Amino acid sequence: QVQLVESGGGLVQAGGSLRLSCAVSGRTFSSYAMGWFRQAPGKEREFVAAIRWSGGNTYYADSVKGRFTISRDNAKNTLYLHMNSLEPEDTAVYYCNAVSYGTTTAYFGSWGQGTQVTVSS
């Protein structure tokens, strides 16, 4: 059974930066394209960014393009999300999951606990 453990969230002022991490176990991490998703209070979970299994290709939601960078370390079974120029609208619980590359759809049926990001104005 896959386990997804997100960390690195916190409270930050607008314009600040954070780096999120996602540790994956129970699956061969390097076999999967991976993505980040987020869910703000009262809203549906939405796609944020994705990266190919090799790390060579990425794509982003328009709302974070140019501010967020997704990366991965296959040797450490870990996915990252570097977030810069944070805005109050980025406040949400952030989750990782596998994706079918080229789509914005999560692949694994289960989710981790997520990590809370709060951006103050």
Side-chain angles (χ1 to χ4, degrees):
Q1 183 176 354
V2 65
Q3 287 192 316
L4 306 165
V5 180
E6 301 91 349
S7 62
L11 173 63
V12 63
Q13 288 190 329
S17 300
L18 282 174
R19 188 185 79 160
L20 306 183
S21 299
C22 168
V24 181
S25 60
R27 289 287 190 276
T28 304
F29 177 72
S30 59
S31 297
Y32 295 92
M34 294 294 298
W36 285 97
F37 299 78
R38 67 186 182 185
Q39 187 168 20
K43 295 189 175 181
E44 302 249 332
R45 186 150 40 201
E46 65 176 3
F47 169 81
V48 175
I51 185 167
R52 204 177 186 97
W53 67 270
S54 62
N57 297 89
T58 59
Y59 53 100
Y60 299 88
D62 287 343
S63 59
V64 306
K65 204 172 293 184
R67 300 187 298 120
F68 290 11
T69 302
I70 188 171
S71 63
R72 66 191 295 161
D73 185 335
N74 287 344
K76 295 183 178 180
N77 291 352
T78 302
L79 180 72
Y80 301 102
L81 186 67
H82 305 257
M83 307 187 295
N84 296 320
S85 302
L86 282 160
E87 303 168 352
E89 293 74 21
D90 297 316
T91 295
V93 178
Y94 284 71
Y95 302 87
C96 64
N97 206 307
V99 298
S100 298
Y101 186 75
T103 76
T104 60
T105 304
Y107 184 81
F108 296 141
S110 60
W111 296 84
Q113 84 288 348
T115 187
Q116 175 71 49
V117 172
T118 303
V119 184
S120 63
S121 57

